[in-house]
């Protein structure tokens, strides 16, 4: 998903986002009816009696003809038809027509087809060094290469060496997918590793011709795919930086791509169609770095949540990014409990870009840029304000605060006052660039909280100490100058990981009864495959494929997808919830300096920021115990959330009745590998059940880590397993009556048999 703060090669991603907004502001609805727009119509699960797709299309068109008037007959067409795992379609409707259709008993939900946001060498090195993943891969060298990841994104650049199929056996016979051709993509571009490629018509046209190609137009899809499954590629680098051996999480995995994004936007209706196709094609894991920017929708109005629910029913693990709208709370997206939601963290590599002042003094800075080492005049933003009343705004490079005449051709210093903390780095950059600055020095006390990337522009970040030294120099001379040096690699940087500033935070807006995000993974400054570009930055056929760095939960998501694929190859009988549980309960909570993982303000990161912690692929293969969450649990979740039995029976192929006492408070009781209580008044007891996947005869004892003013107890305190007793339940009681402060309290309940540590994190909101 590229969300607004994601940083792609030479700021390309930001430019795409900006262009997208411009196009959206200029687009006019179709001429036939100014009020018509695209809607998604969801009609529940598919049945064997549904018949072929042509019959389904005719039935849907008949339904449409009952609400679309004859004078608007040009709108009588289907954009997408869903018919594999669930039924439905997308079409152009007015709000009134959609309202009339919603009253039809066959239709379970109807909602606007919105646009979705697009939310490596060193990253896997860090994970391997901290978790011993390389050693585990040597212990299990024969993990199956028949695990298939479906990547729903912006397509693929198939010529990349990251996707060569050398050493791969024949494609598994269970695979039902296809390799669609386009003007610049042939069937021969697929191989035994890239086994499927689909693309979807992203236009609002009644033409029967599907426009486009599986080829990547933005670089985003190629980048995230190579993070998950990319081959070993030596000497990978981004214009000399981050040089090393590029590799994905599970290089032996096969993959299929489903292109739902073009250079302008990502389609919700196409994404839902892609999930439907991926289920039918036979993928094992869906990796989707996309999400809605609007978080107040219900789960059945969210195309990713809706499609993923059917995928999980089919035994497919769905992994998605948490979003790039941090660090504010309640910004996390993809919060359905059947989706594994991933936050982004930094790695132990950063980039130094020091500043040489005119007096020869060197100031330490951090940034990624490829500019030449040239000296420019230096000015403080406050001294370049459009007028005196804008002094403070200009000091922080707030939008429209800088006077171009005072900035053009100079390097600008921007500070970071508390009242302007809501300004994003991108906004400050653009303020400087729009005033034609030659360079930007940005004060950021928490250097690792975001990834500074400005491409060819002169850019660096410094701390408050460095800023004070630069201001002292500026005030000491009438002709201040500075040079921002070209970036250099800094390895084994401490502390790492740090939760990225841009990574979206919990709790979820729809419900606080489920803890989100689930897990953190590397997502800052990740080097991965990128389409070849010419001197203007345009993608070019026939040139050597390169690599580029990018930041976002888009990059964190495929790290977990790759690890999950490897786990699936070693543990083929494990269900999606078992894999998710293993990854969560074995997550790491300390950094490479031996201290608790922190956020961008140097405070300890909470579960609302990093979920259960940083992914630990080694430990996840041997979790000892797992928390299994099944379809019945998800049914109860939907009941508790407020959905009626009639609707759920149409979605699930089973007889089921919602409990009469259903309420949102009961969501906390679902057997999830974490605990979240959105409102605790007094005391409450939560039940969890674990399944033993370790030694058959084992005894686990409990350890509780809780804040002083929250009383937590567990019963029983010992769990005993045998071949006849593989499951055990326990109760966790929370008593907040003696709490000295209100708000969320965090902690954990851990079970250990002396070999395994099974950590269950909790978030409890005392009101």
């Amino acid at each position: 998903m590229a969300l607004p703060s994601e940083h792609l090669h030479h700021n390309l991603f930001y430019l795409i986002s900006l262009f997208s907004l411009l196009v959206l502001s200029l687009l006019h609805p179709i001429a036939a009816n100014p009020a018509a727009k695209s809607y998604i119509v969801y009609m529940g699960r598919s049945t064997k009696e549904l018949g072929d797709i042509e019959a389904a299309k005719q039935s849907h068109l008949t339904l449409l003809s009952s609400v679309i008037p004859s004078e608007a007959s040009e709108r009588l067409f289907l954009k997408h038809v869903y018919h594999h795992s669930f039924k439905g379609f997308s079409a152009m409707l007015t709000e009134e027509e959609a309202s009339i259709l919603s009253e039809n008993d066959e239709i379970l939900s109807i909602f606007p087809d919105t646009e979705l946001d697009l939310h490596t060498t060193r990253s896997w090195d860090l994970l391997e060094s901290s978790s011993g993943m390389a050693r585990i891969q040597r212990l299990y060298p024969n993990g199956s290469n028949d695990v298939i990841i479906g990547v729903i994104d912006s397509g693929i650049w198939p010529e990349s060496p990251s996707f060569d199929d050398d050493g791969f056996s024949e494609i598994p016979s269970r695979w039902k997918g296809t390799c669609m051709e386009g003007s610049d993509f042939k069937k021969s571009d697929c191989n035994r590793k890239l086994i499927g490629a689909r693309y979807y018509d992203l236009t609002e046209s009644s033409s029967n011709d599907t426009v486009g190609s599986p080829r990547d137009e933005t670089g985003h899809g190629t980048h995230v795919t190579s993070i998950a499954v990319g081959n070993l590629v030596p000497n990978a680098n981004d214009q000399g930086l981050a040089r090393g051996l590029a590799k994905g999480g599970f290089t032996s995995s096969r993959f299929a791509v489903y292109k739902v994004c073009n250079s302008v936007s990502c389609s919700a209706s196409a994404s839902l169609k892609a999930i439907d196709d991926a289920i039918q094609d036979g993928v094992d894991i869906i990796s989707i770095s996309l999400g809605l920017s609007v978080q107040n929708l219900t789960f059945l109005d969210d195309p990713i949540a809706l499609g993923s629910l059917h995928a999980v029913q089919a035994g497919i693990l769905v992994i998605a990014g948490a979003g790039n709208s941090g660090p504010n709370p309640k910004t996390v997206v993809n919060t359905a409990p059947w989706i594994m939601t991933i936050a982004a963290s930094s790695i132990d590599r950063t980039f130094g870009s020091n500043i040489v002042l005119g007096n020869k003094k060197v100031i330490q800075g951090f940034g990624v840029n490829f500019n030449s080492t040239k000296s420019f005049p230096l000015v403080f933003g406050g001294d370049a304000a459009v007028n005196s009343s804008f002094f403070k705004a200009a000091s922080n490079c707030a939008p429209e605060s800088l006077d171009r005449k005072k900035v053009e051709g100079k390097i600008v210093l921007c500070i970071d006052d508390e009242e302007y903390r809501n300004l994003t780095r991108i906004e400050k950059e653009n303020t400087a660039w729009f005033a034609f600055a030659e360079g930007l020095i940005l004060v950021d006390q928490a250097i690792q909280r975001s990834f500074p990337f400005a491409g060819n522009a002169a850019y660096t970040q410094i701390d408050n100490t460095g800023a004070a030294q630069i201001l002292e120099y500026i005030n000491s001379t009438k002709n201040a100058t500075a040079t921002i040096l070209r970036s250099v690699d800094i390895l084994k940087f401490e502390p790492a990981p740090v939760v990225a500033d841009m990574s979206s935070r919990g709790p979820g807006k729809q419900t606080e009864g489920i803890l989100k995000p689930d897990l953190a993974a590397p997502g800052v400054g990740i080097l991965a495959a990128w389409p070849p570009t010419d001197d203007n930055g345009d993608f070019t056929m026939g040139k050597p494929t390169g690599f580029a760095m990018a930041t976002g939960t888009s990059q964190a998501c495929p790290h977990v997808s790759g690890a999950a694929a490897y786990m699936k190859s070693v543990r083929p009988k494990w269900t999606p919830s078992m894999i998710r549980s293993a990854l969560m309960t074995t997550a790491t909570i300390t950094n490479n300096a031996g201290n608790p993982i922190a956020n961008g303000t140097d405070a300890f990161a909470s579960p609302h920021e990093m979920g259960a912690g940083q992914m630990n692929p080694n430990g996840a293969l041997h979790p000892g115990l797992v928390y299994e969450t099944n379809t019945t649990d998800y049914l109860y979740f939907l009941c508790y959330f407020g959905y009626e039995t009639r609707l759920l029976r149409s979605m699930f192929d089973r007889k089921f009745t919602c409990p009469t006492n259903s309420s949102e408070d009961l969501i906390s009781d679902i057997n999830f590998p974490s605990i979240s209580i959105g409102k605790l008044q007094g005391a409450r007891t939560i039940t969890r059940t674990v399944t033993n996947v370790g030694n058959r005869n084992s005894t686990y004892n409990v350890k509780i880590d809780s804040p002083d003013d929250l009383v937590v107890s567990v019963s029983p305190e010992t769990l005993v397993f045998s071949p006849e007793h593989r499951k055990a339940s326990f109760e966790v009681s929370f008593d907040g009556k003696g709490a000295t402060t209100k708000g969320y309290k965090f902690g954990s309940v851990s079970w250990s048999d002396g070999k395994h540590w099974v950590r269950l994190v909790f978030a409890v909101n005392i009101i």
Side-chain angles (χ1 to χ4, degrees):
M1 359 182 181
L3 299 165
S5 64
E6 186 165 19
H7 317 293
L8 292 175
H9 198 46
H10 297 179
N11 272 349
L12 175 62
F13 194 77
Y14 173 74
L15 293 176
I16 290 172
S17 300
L18 188 64
F19 178 65
S20 175
L21 291 174
L22 176 63
V23 171
L24 287 174
S25 67
L26 296 177
L27 280 177
H28 294 282
I30 60 174
N33 192 325
K37 61 182 180 181
S38 182
Y39 278 84
I40 295 172
V41 180
Y42 173 65
M43 305 173 73
R45 72 180 188 279
S46 289
T47 59
K48 294 180 180 179
E49 295 77 25
L50 181 62
D52 60 37
I53 187 173
E54 293 305 321
K57 286 181 178 178
Q58 188 55 51
S59 175
H60 299 332
L61 287 171
T62 300
L63 193 60
L64 281 180
S65 65
S66 68
V67 295
I68 296 178
S70 58
E71 58 268 24
S73 59
E74 62 269 31
R75 287 194 286 110
L76 197 59
F77 69 94
L78 304 170
K79 290 182 62 181
H80 300 290
V81 176
Y82 316 118
H83 69 290
H84 296 307
S85 295
F86 48 91
K87 296 181 295 185
F89 58 90
S90 60
M92 301 297 293
L93 298 167
T94 65
E95 184 176 352
E96 181 181 1
E97 291 163 354
S99 178
I100 295 172
L101 276 183
S102 68
E103 297 174 4
N104 189 297
D105 290 340
E106 292 184 80
I107 295 173
L108 304 188
S109 67
I110 181 169
F111 51 94
D113 178 7
T114 57
E115 290 188 349
L116 302 179
D117 291 324
L118 283 170
H119 286 189
T120 5
T121 54
R122 193 71 190 173
S123 57
W124 286 108
D125 289 343
L126 174 65
L127 289 171
E128 289 174 3
S129 65
S130 62
S131 72
M133 187 176 177
R135 179 177 64 84
I136 288 296
Q137 290 186 345
R138 289 194 295 270
L139 292 175
Y140 298 95
N142 298 318
S144 170
N145 67 358
D146 286 344
V147 177
I148 304 167
I149 299 179
V151 182
I152 299 176
D153 210 280
S154 66
I156 198 74
W157 201 272
E159 292 83 3
S160 171
S162 294
F163 311 128
D164 288 347
D165 65 351
D166 293 343
F168 276 77
S169 58
E170 292 301 314
I171 296 172
S173 59
R174 67 184 175 90
W175 177 246
K176 301 176 183 177
T178 187
C179 188
M180 295 175 65
E181 291 192 314
S183 60
D184 55 2
F185 197 100
K186 307 302 179 186
K187 285 188 181 295
S188 58
D189 287 323
C190 291
N191 55 34
R192 290 170 297 186
K193 183 178 179 73
L194 168 54
I195 63 174
R198 293 182 183 269
Y199 63 97
Y200 302 90
D201 191 348
L202 304 178
T203 66
E204 297 183 350
S205 167
S206 60
S207 170
N208 291 324
D209 297 326
T210 301
V211 179
S213 155
R215 186 167 293 276
D216 193 356
E217 297 178 49
T218 72
H220 190 272
T222 300
H223 199 268
V224 299
T225 302
S226 66
I227 292 171
V229 303
N231 296 326
L232 293 127
V233 180
N235 201 34
N237 66 92
D238 186 355
Q239 300 188 52
L241 290 179
R243 190 180 301 276
L245 180 69
K247 53 188 170 183
F250 185 34
T251 58
S252 297
S253 179
R254 306 177 197 266
F255 71 98
V257 296
Y258 301 82
K259 181 180 176 181
V260 300
C261 307
N262 56 26
S263 61
V264 176
S265 63
C266 303
S267 164
S269 60
S271 298
L272 188 58
K273 175 62 175 171
I275 295 174
D276 189 34
D277 286 339
I279 296 170
Q280 177 69 13
D281 289 346
V283 305
D284 300 295
I285 294 167
I286 290 176
S287 185
I288 182 164
S289 293
L290 310 170
L292 290 167
S293 57
V294 179
Q295 302 152 48
N296 56 357
L297 300 177
T298 65
F299 293 102
L300 297 193
D301 293 335
D302 180 341
I304 294 178
L306 194 57
S308 297
L309 179 58
H310 289 277
V312 171
Q313 287 185 72
I316 299 168
L317 176 61
V318 180
I319 302 169
N324 294 356
S325 299
N328 292 330
K330 293 190 175 183
T331 52
V332 63
V333 297
N334 295 322
T335 58
W338 47 85
I339 297 175
M340 192 168 189
T341 312
I342 312 303
S345 60
S346 66
I347 61 176
D348 64 343
R349 177 190 63 212
T350 190
F351 303 94
S353 185
N354 291 345
I355 305 157
V356 180
L357 302 177
N359 61 5
K360 306 303 181 185
K361 190 166 189 175
V362 178
I363 307 296
Q364 186 182 46
F366 296 87
V368 174
N369 59 77
F370 308 103
N371 60 294
S372 60
T373 55
K374 185 177 179 181
S375 177
F376 293 99
L378 175 64
V379 64
F380 173 51
D383 296 333
V386 291
N387 58 57
S388 58
S389 64
F390 278 79
F391 175 80
K392 201 156 191 179
S395 299
N396 290 269
C397 284
E400 301 182 2
S401 65
L402 295 177
D403 186 339
R404 174 177 171 179
K405 294 178 181 178
K406 300 175 183 178
V407 171
E408 187 170 359
K410 299 178 182 179
I411 294 174
V412 184
L413 170 66
C414 297
I415 61 175
D416 190 31
D417 285 331
E418 182 69 34
E419 62 186 284
Y420 287 92
R421 286 283 162 81
N422 287 333
L423 278 179
T424 67
R425 184 179 59 77
I426 292 292
E427 289 175 308
K428 293 187 176 187
E429 284 181 24
N430 288 330
T431 299
W433 305 150
F434 291 159
F436 289 78
E438 285 289 345
L440 176 62
I441 302 172
L442 184 62
V443 179
D444 184 353
Q445 188 62 25
I447 296 296
Q448 276 287 74
R449 73 180 186 176
S450 60
F451 185 59
F453 197 96
N456 289 322
Y459 177 93
T460 192
Q461 290 182 187
I462 60 175
D463 59 17
N464 290 334
T465 301
Q469 295 178 53
I470 295 176
L471 283 171
E472 181 181 2
Y473 164 65
I474 290 175
N475 293 329
S476 70
T477 177
K478 293 182 179 180
N479 299 300
T481 62
T483 301
I484 300 177
L485 300 180
R486 194 181 193 278
S487 300
V488 295
D489 292 3
I490 299 177
L491 303 181
K492 298 184 178 180
F493 187 86
E494 293 183 359
V498 173
V499 177
D501 202 43
M502 54 73 198
S503 186
S504 293
R505 267 61 167 176
K509 276 193 173 181
Q510 289 92 340
T511 176
E512 297 184 29
I514 294 291
L515 181 61
K516 290 289 179 174
D518 293 310
L519 196 68
V524 176
I526 307 302
L527 183 76
W530 192 259
T533 57
D534 59 21
D535 293 339
N536 296 319
D538 297 323
F539 295 164
T540 306
M541 298 288 290
K543 291 190 68 175
T545 305
F547 289 80
M549 287 179 285
T551 285
T553 56
S554 284
Q555 280 60 47
C557 168
H559 275 92
V560 180
S561 301
Y566 182 68
M567 291 177 65
K568 184 70 175 177
S569 75
V570 177
R571 308 279 189 237
K573 294 183 179 181
W574 280 16
T575 65
S577 72
M578 293 172 75
I579 293 174
R580 176 182 62 189
S581 174
L583 284 164
M584 290 177 65
T585 61
T586 61
T588 301
I589 57 173
T590 56
N591 58 32
N592 59 358
N595 298 316
I597 293 173
N599 58 26
T601 63
D602 295 329
F604 294 162
S606 77
H608 283 160
E609 296 172 307
M610 66 174 183
Q614 178 85 346
M615 178 178 69
N616 172 13
N618 173 22
L621 277 176
H622 302 282
L625 307 174
V626 294
Y627 296 84
E628 295 188 80
T629 316
N630 55 38
T631 299
T632 300
D633 291 312
Y634 298 137
L635 277 166
Y636 279 125
F637 168 82
L638 292 168
C639 290
Y640 300 155
F641 191 74
Y643 291 109
E644 297 178 354
T645 297
R646 178 193 64 81
L647 184 146
L648 298 182
R649 285 182 177 177
S650 298
M651 295 173 59
F652 295 81
D653 187 17
R654 62 177 62 191
K655 294 181 179 179
F656 177 83
T657 301
C658 285
T660 55
N661 64 336
S662 294
S663 72
E664 189 173 346
D665 287 343
L666 295 176
I667 289 175
S668 301
D669 290 316
I670 292 172
N671 201 47
F672 208 62
S674 61
I675 293 175
S676 181
I677 301 177
K679 296 178 181 179
L680 179 65
Q681 289 180 305
R684 181 168 177 187
T685 298
I686 301 294
T687 301
R688 286 292 184 268
T689 300
V690 289
T691 303
N692 181 24
V693 294
N695 298 329
R696 291 187 176 184
N697 296 291
S698 55
T699 300
Y700 283 78
N701 296 306
V702 72
K703 180 181 181 299
I704 300 171
D705 179 15
S706 64
D708 293 337
D709 59 349
L710 176 65
V711 178
V712 182
S713 60
V714 176
S715 179
E717 296 182 348
T718 300
L719 301 177
V720 179
F721 298 93
S722 67
E724 294 78 26
H725 298 91
R726 295 181 57 247
K727 292 181 180 291
S729 297
F730 61 93
E731 294 181 339
V732 185
S733 297
F734 300 93
D735 188 339
K737 292 191 289 291
T740 56
T741 59
K742 305 296 185 182
Y744 269 98
K745 312 289 182 179
F746 305 103
S748 64
V749 171
S750 299
W751 294 98
S752 179
D753 63 350
K755 180 180 178 181
H756 306 95
W757 277 95
V758 189
R759 185 169 175 268
L760 178 77
V761 299
F762 62 75
V764 177
N765 184 23
I766 299 176
I767 60 174

